[in-house]
């Protein structure tokens, strides 16, 4: 499928998706969000792809939901179109890992989009924020919930109530991003992590992703039991036999996803 607002490349088992509305700093309009959901469905169905990198430009990952598109909408229109829900659900339900590679602004819906991904690698110029309060609204794609889980109540309140932006160093210190790299190395660094993931057993990757996500949804004891049961279940896959045999034989594993 051809996309108007996304640039997509595939290489070495990895799909690289670039948000591509440069004149609007990649503001997230309904066209872009629809295309993102469609692209993820295509990637999910393609067994040759094991991981996704989602990025923007050096200036902006995404400066938020498209304010110009939203500004005149009524409550009924927003409710009916369910703005953002489809794309958010497409990411939440996506079984392969998605890495957000964030340079420049990740504001409002842009910050929420990055937080929907499995982890965030930031360029040194990244700026994260939930400035919706400046517009008389609030986060609407999980920002108030996910940001609080990432950085704690005090910083989340500070950012949501004052619209203060967090730079990359603070974001790394606070646990919002996994690592910070030079902007010109950002996509290469994210692709390198994605290639590593894509080289592994796709079944084990999906199971590991489900395990970590479960930590947000359950108690510690239930989560530990969930982990143990899934760990046991991995012994049903050929990939477990291959991974351990390859270690013992001192050779690279050849995972088949079976
Ligand atoms: N929407 C539309 N256009 C945007 C935009 C946005 N969010 N952000 C920037 N642009 C456009 C600007 O209007 C400008 O367009 P032209 O004037 O050239 O036509 C162009 O991008 C370049 O922006 P600036 O000229 O402003 O560039 P600066 O470097 O001076 O400033 C900035 C960059 C990122 C600091 C500034 O553009 C800015 O403050 N942007 C707005 C950031 C913001 O408030 N983001 C939050 C948006 S509200 C929902 C769920 C979620 C949401 C809504 C509903 N439901 C479940 C229903 C989410 C809401 C949001 O994200």
């Amino acid at each position: 499928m051809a996309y108007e607002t996304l640039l997509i490349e595939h290489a070495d088992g990895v799909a690289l998706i670039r948000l591509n509305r440069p004149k609007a700093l990649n503001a997230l309009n309904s066209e872009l969000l629809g295309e993102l959901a469609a692209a993820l469905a295509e990637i999910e169905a393609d067994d040759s792809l094991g991981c996704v990198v989602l990025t923007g430009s050096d200036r902006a990952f995404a400066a938020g939901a498209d304010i110009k598109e939203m500004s005149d909408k009524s409550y009924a229109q927003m409710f009916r179109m369910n703005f953002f829900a489809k794309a958010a659900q497409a990411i939440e339900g996506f079984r392969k890992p998605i890495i957000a590679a964030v340079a420049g602004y990740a504001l409002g819906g842009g910050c929420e989009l990055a937080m929907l991904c499995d982890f965030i690698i930031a360029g040194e110029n990244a700026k994260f924020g939930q400035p919706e309060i400046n517009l008389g609204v609030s986060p609407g794609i999980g920002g108030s919930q996910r940001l609080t889980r990432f950085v704690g109540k005090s910083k989340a309140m500070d950012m949501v109530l004052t619209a203060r932006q967090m730079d990359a160093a603070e974001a790394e210190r606070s646990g919002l991003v996994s690592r910070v790299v030079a902007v010109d190395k950002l996509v290469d660094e994210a692709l390198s992590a994605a290639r590593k993931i894509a080289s592994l057993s796709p079944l084990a990757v999906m199971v590991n992703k489900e395990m970590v996500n479960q930590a947000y949804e359950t108690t510690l004891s239930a989560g530990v039991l969930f982990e143990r049961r899934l760990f046991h279940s991995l012994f049903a896959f050929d990939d477990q036999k291959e991974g351990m045999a390859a270690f013992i034989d001192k050779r690279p594993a050849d995972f088949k996803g079976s």
Side-chain angles (χ1 to χ4, degrees), residues 101-227:
V102 175
Y105 296 111
L107 302 179
C111 187
E112 292 169 304
L113 179 60
M115 290 191 290
L116 275 162
C117 296
D118 293 306
F119 63 98
I120 303 172
I121 301 179
E124 282 167 344
N125 70 344
K127 295 266 193 195
F128 298 88
Q130 298 291 158
E132 291 92 337
I133 198 146
N134 286 338
L135 305 168
V137 291
S138 70
I141 322 154
S144 63
Q145 306 303 300
R146 289 198 178 87
L147 185 65
T148 307
R149 282 168 167 78
F150 278 116
V151 305
K153 177 179 170 184
S154 192
K155 276 184 187 289
M157 281 288 189
D158 184 3
M159 291 170 73
V160 168
L161 294 179
T162 71
R164 182 174 77 81
Q165 294 177 16
M166 193 182 256
D167 66 19
E170 185 181 2
E172 185 180 29
R173 221 167 45 237
S174 311
L176 178 58
V177 311
S178 70
R179 32 183 144 151
V180 178
V181 299
V183 174
D184 61 353
K185 301 275 186 310
L186 174 65
V187 171
D188 284 348
E189 183 89 2
L191 285 175
S192 161
R195 278 194 295 272
K196 164 73 188 182
I197 291 167
S199 75
L200 301 169
S201 161
L203 302 169
V205 166
M206 275 191 247
V207 168
N208 276 270
K209 172 171 162 156
E210 281 182 20
M211 272 182 194
V212 175
N213 280 333
Q214 191 68 12
Y216 282 96
E217 306 292 344
T218 193
T219 62
L220 179 62
S221 57
V224 169
L225 180 61
F226 180 79
E227 178 189 274

Side-chain angles (χ1 to χ4, degrees), residues 95 200-211 227 229-245 254-258:
R95 299 182 76 199
L200 301 169
S201 161
L203 302 169
V205 166
M206 275 191 247
V207 168
N208 276 270
K209 172 171 162 156
E210 281 182 20
M211 272 182 194
E227 178 189 274
R229 292 293 176 249
L230 283 180
F231 177 84
H232 294 154
S233 75
L234 286 166
F235 284 72
F237 294 139
D238 297 336
D239 282 354
Q240 172 269 325
K241 300 288 174 292
E242 169 60 14
M244 293 193 178
D254 179 15
F255 293 117
K256 303 275 194 243
S258 57

Side-chain angles (χ1 to χ4, degrees), residues 23-24 27 59 63-68 70 78 83 108-109 135 140-141:
K23 290 185 186 151
R59 189 170 169 213
D66 192 315
I67 299 166
K68 293 166 189 168
M70 267 188 306
M78 290 298 273
F83 193 60
L135 305 168
I141 322 154

